[in-house]
Amino acid sequence: SSEFSNMASLAKETQPLALHVRLGDYKNLAKIYGRVDPRYFSSSLDLQMQLNGERDIWLFSDEPALAFDLLRDSKHKIIVPPDLQKLSGLETVLTMASCSGLVASNSSFSWWAAYLNQDMNARVIFPRPFFALGGPSEPKDWLLENWIQLGRTI
């Protein structure tokens, strides 16, 4: 779509960090995914900025208003990218993949965005543990070696 083309160009120009806050899984599948941990997101954003310098953060979320509320204490500039609501699911993943790094949720949507990112310098941070205690077994080999894993409260 034209909106996707515009977003890809803007991402290439501004090099934002993608922040994916997937709240539906935490609400609807808490026994599998655990609960949302705002401290994980805050620590991940701080680490990204230490490693790569301060830059805009593009928020990708199924509930942006609630995600903003969870991140209200962040000292970093978080915005919802323009035209985001007009993108298809695939275009959203590809837009996330075009960013210069990713703070991920424990979701396959985040995983695909990280995996499809072709920037060799992009830093990717995933939460650990990935699943809730008593949930599925932790994936052993599907997070790439160069992806950073940060602890979260489950």
Side-chain angles (χ1 to χ4, degrees):
S1 68
S2 61
E3 290 85 8
F4 171 68
S5 295
N6 293 339
M7 294 284 293
S9 295
L10 186 59
K12 186 175 184 176
E13 178 186 322
T14 62
Q15 297 292 298
L17 172 67
L19 169 61
H20 184 222
V21 181
R22 175 85 173 148
L23 295 171
D25 290 346
Y26 296 118
K27 284 186 194 175
N28 302 322
L29 302 168
K31 288 184 179 185
I32 296 172
Y33 292 103
R35 59 188 165 107
V36 66
D37 181 4
R39 287 176 290 163
Y40 157 75
F41 290 110
S42 179
S43 297
S44 297
L45 291 174
D46 290 345
L47 180 58
Q48 282 280 13
M49 297 310 168
Q50 288 172 355
L51 294 172
N52 300 301
E54 198 70 33
R55 62 196 188 279
D56 285 350
I57 300 164
W58 285 5
L59 174 64
F60 296 84
S61 180
D62 51 338
E63 295 189 45
L66 183 53
F68 269 120
D69 190 47
L70 290 169
L71 301 164
R72 68 182 163 273
D73 295 331
S74 178
K75 58 188 173 223
H76 307 289
K77 182 181 179 187
I78 301 172
I79 61 170
V80 174
D83 293 329
L84 180 62
Q85 301 307 319
K86 297 176 184 174
L87 302 182
S88 69
L90 176 59
E91 289 173 330
T92 301
V93 168
L94 293 174
T95 300
M96 288 170 57
S98 69
C99 291
S100 65
L102 171 66
V103 171
S105 283
N106 50 338
S107 81
S108 58
F109 206 79
S110 283
W111 187 91
W112 277 109
Y115 186 77
L116 293 171
N117 188 311
Q118 296 183 8
D119 180 350
M120 299 308 290
N121 296 314
R123 301 247 205 272
V124 173
I125 301 176
F126 266 91
R128 285 308 240 190
F130 197 85
F131 293 116
L133 295 175
S137 299
E138 286 293 300
K140 301 284 186 233
D141 59 357
W142 71 293
L143 296 183
L144 300 186
E145 217 173 87
N146 62 327
W147 293 354
I148 300 166
Q149 298 174 46
L150 282 185
R152 72 175 178 113
T153 305
I154 56 172

